[in-house]
Amino acid sequence: MIHNRIRELRFKAGEMTQQALADSVGITRQTIIALEKGKYYPSLELAFRIAKTFEMPLEEVFQYDV
Amino acid sequence: MAFHEKSAWVSLLSIAGVFVPYFVLVFQYPMAFIGLAVVAVILLAVLLTGFHIINAIMTASIRKRGDEPPQDELDQLIELRAAKVAGFVLAFVVFGWCMVAAFGVPALGVSALANAETPNLAQFSVSVFDALMAIHVLFAGFVASNIVYYGAIVAGYRKLMWAQP
């Protein structure tokens, strides 16, 4: 199971809106909502783009639990 | 609601709203299919074009960029899953129709000619009425697979939105 801290990191990044994050990584706001709810796992490329937007390593944004 | 979900809703409701009455009428009056088909196609074109014009005006990203939003990876995944389900429906309908045609028509011919003095299967023919009905059953299957396709896209988006975090 993959968890993420996207919502928490968005608020820490100057209360970035879902739309702003979506625009910066090139996806829709609905996909950001699905990611934050844990109902969708991003592709590797998207995961890297999100981590790059937050200027954090991938493992800080996404965590894998067995 | 995502742009592509809205588009799927309109396609689903338009196709169902236009073609369900079409098939109800055409199965009652098969010889009127040409006129009914023209009306159905025009109605569908008007509905879909009208929606896209209104949606383009209302959607901020379209107003800014002048083009509909591209599909992101989640949109593509939902569409691929819907296409898979619709493909099964279409394959089932086509295969079923072919089986009925391949075995049913000769069986009808044999039973129709059973009491003939000199039975000859080559003399068996299908009426225009029956042929039109058969074609419309196949077309109905195609429309049904389209309805399933757009319904599956809508269900895919709704499942995401209603999911608990």
Side-chain angles (χ1 to χ4, degrees), chain A residues 26-28 30-31 33-34 37 39-43 46 49, chain B residues 1-2 70 72-75 77 159-165:
Chain A
I27 58 175
T28 62
Q30 281 70 27
T31 304
I33 293 169
K37 283 183 179 177
K39 296 313 293 180
Y40 174 64
Y41 296 157
S43 65
L46 178 58
R49 276 193 264 136
Chain B
M1 198 184 281
D72 69 3
E73 57 183 55
L74 181 57
D75 295 327
L77 181 67
K159 191 178 158 190
L160 285 174
M161 293 302 118
W162 291 335
Q164 294 299 318

Side-chain angles (χ1 to χ4, degrees), chain B residues 79-161:
Chain B
E79 190 173 303
L80 277 170
R81 284 178 181 162
K84 186 173 95 170
V85 172
F88 279 127
V89 170
L90 185 62
F92 178 77
V93 166
V94 171
F95 182 73
W97 188 91
C98 288
M99 287 297 105
V100 168
F103 296 106
V105 171
L108 267 176
V110 165
S111 65
L113 294 170
N115 295 325
E117 284 182 7
T118 51
N120 182 356
L121 201 55
Q123 292 175 343
F124 175 71
S125 63
V126 174
S127 69
V128 172
F129 179 90
D130 288 338
L132 282 173
M133 293 288 275
I135 290 166
H136 275 95
V137 165
L138 197 57
F139 182 47
F142 172 72
V143 171
S145 77
N146 263 261
I147 290 174
V148 165
Y149 173 69
Y150 290 112
I153 291 177
V154 165
Y157 282 111
R158 288 294 96 203
K159 191 178 158 190
L160 285 174
M161 293 302 118

Side-chain angles (χ1 to χ4, degrees), chain B residues 20-109:
Chain B
V20 167
Y22 168 81
F23 284 113
V24 166
L25 287 171
V26 91
F27 283 133
Q28 289 176 2
Y29 312 108
M31 301 307 286
F33 80 95
I34 292 177
L36 289 170
V38 168
V39 169
V41 166
I42 290 173
L43 200 52
L44 194 62
V46 164
L47 284 171
L48 292 177
T49 307
F51 158 75
H52 280 101
I53 290 171
I54 293 168
N55 201 28
I57 294 167
M58 302 288 286
T59 304
S61 60
I62 294 178
R63 283 202 302 270
K64 281 181 206 168
R65 291 206 309 263
D67 195 6
E68 70 175 46
Q71 285 188 324
D72 69 3
E73 57 183 55
L74 181 57
D75 295 327
Q76 286 173 354
L77 181 67
I78 288 172
E79 190 173 303
L80 277 170
R81 284 178 181 162
K84 186 173 95 170
V85 172
F88 279 127
V89 170
L90 185 62
F92 178 77
V93 166
V94 171
F95 182 73
W97 188 91
C98 288
M99 287 297 105
V100 168
F103 296 106
V105 171
L108 267 176

